[in-house]
Amino acid sequence: EMAQVCADSGADIVLMHMRGEPRTMQRDTSYEDLLGEVLEYLAARVKIAVQGGVSPTCITVDPGLGFGKAWVDNARIIAGLKHFRSLGVPVLVGASRKRFIGALTGQTQPSDRVFGSVGAALAATEAGADILRVHDVAATREALAVFLPCRHVESPL
């Protein structure tokens, strides 16, 4: 029924992958085909939303970093974002301050994960993310202000 409610309201929606529910999502983080399973899940949700009357222009997908995934899976998802582009809708990535960044950097406090979060945002941008959910807006914006133009400048060598 949620698809119909969203369709009737004309609201934009974000469809996110999560295994289980917040209380149980980290109990089983093993996947036979991580990208394939997450992609299949999101494709099915997009189909349900569209069949319920939601315009594809109102849909964004989020592979759900940190939601039922091992820390290394989050890095794999970022590296494989191009696969989610096949859904034909924008891709959102919310890596900011996540536990996997702490696992990679050794930072135990989320507030100390700014540099790692910016790194994840740049990696996600390079891999095809359309939207970034971040805590440290100024740091991420400044990094992107340098990173984005540098991606398209030819080397003088």
Side-chain angles (χ1 to χ4, degrees):
E1 296 174 3
M2 184 62 73
Q4 187 64 54
V5 170
C6 292
D8 290 346
S9 72
D12 287 351
I13 63 172
V14 176
L15 304 173
M16 186 187 82
H17 176 270
M18 177 174 65
R19 182 181 275 170
E21 56 186 52
R23 270 181 312 146
T24 63
M25 66 186 180
Q26 292 307 111
R27 290 184 188 160
D28 179 15
T29 60
S30 61
Y31 294 84
E32 284 194 33
D33 176 13
L34 172 70
L35 292 176
E37 291 175 44
V38 175
L39 182 62
E40 183 179 323
Y41 175 92
L42 291 172
R45 295 314 176 273
V46 168
K47 183 177 180 181
I48 289 168
V50 170
Q51 287 175 341
V54 177
S55 169
T57 62
C58 294
I59 299 173
T60 296
V61 294
D62 177 352
L65 299 183
F67 289 86
K69 283 111 182 147
W71 72 266
V72 71
D73 291 336
N74 297 299
R76 288 183 181 125
I77 287 171
I78 290 173
L81 283 178
K82 66 181 178 197
H83 299 288
F84 298 98
R85 310 278 312 150
S86 68
L87 297 172
V89 297
V91 178
L92 179 147
V93 172
S96 185
R97 299 187 184 186
K98 294 274 175 101
R99 188 171 293 147
F100 86 95
I101 293 172
L104 290 168
T105 63
Q107 296 295 338
T108 57
Q109 295 299 314
S111 60
D112 293 334
R113 299 177 187 157
V114 176
F115 298 119
S117 295
V118 171
L122 296 178
T125 299
E126 181 66 16
D130 298 292
I131 302 167
L132 302 171
R133 186 208 44 82
V134 302
H135 292 92
D136 305 291
V137 175
T140 305
R141 183 178 178 161
E142 188 173 317
L144 287 168
V146 174
F147 176 76
L148 291 172
C150 292
R151 288 174 28 185
H152 303 292
V153 175
E154 288 193 36
S155 171
L157 301 178

